[in-house]
Amino acid sequence: MRLRIKIWHRRNRYAIRQNPVLNQAYRFAVGIVGTVMMLAGMVMIPLPVPGPGWVTLFLGLAVLSTEFTWAHRVTAFLRRRLHDAAVLSARLTTAVRGFLRHNHAYHRHTMVPYARTAYLRISPLPAPA
């Protein structure tokens, strides 16, 4: 389904590009829609609910990147940084899991038995008469 939409869009976009006036009108409309979406996203970013502001901002940038090279470069840059952040997050998660696994094994074999014996050695308080 996605491929059909993509083929349909490319075919129609090619037809629009053949007519210079229609091409300029299309680019102007895409610019207006993308700019409005980005501005709406910027307005929504400080809202107390997370998500819709950033999502709208990035969707507006994606709309602009369909027609404008500068927006495509910004989108590609952000995608690379997002990928780098995901790789770093995966590495840190693996390192933290390994540390916690080792730390848990250490405490299970050393601290827990000593804590049990120390707890059992504490004499209970005498019962009130």
Side-chain angles (χ1 to χ4, degrees), residues 12-84:
N12 288 336
R13 187 64 187 107
Y14 180 75
I16 290 171
R17 280 197 183 114
Q18 300 306 313
N19 186 346
V21 174
L22 195 57
N23 187 34
Q24 287 299 324
Y26 181 81
R27 286 176 59 91
F28 182 75
V30 167
I32 293 295
V33 169
T35 303
V36 167
M37 287 179 71
M38 284 186 65
L39 291 174
M42 285 183 205
V43 169
M44 287 191 287
I45 285 173
L47 291 179
V49 287
W54 289 106
V55 170
T56 308
L57 178 80
F58 292 133
L59 283 176
L61 188 62
V63 167
L64 288 173
S65 70
T66 62
E67 288 299 315
F68 301 103
T69 307
W70 65 268
H72 183 73
R73 283 195 307 263
V74 170
T75 305
F77 172 79
L78 291 174
R79 289 182 74 181
R80 282 193 306 269
R81 294 298 156 246
L82 183 63
H83 176 73
D84 294 346

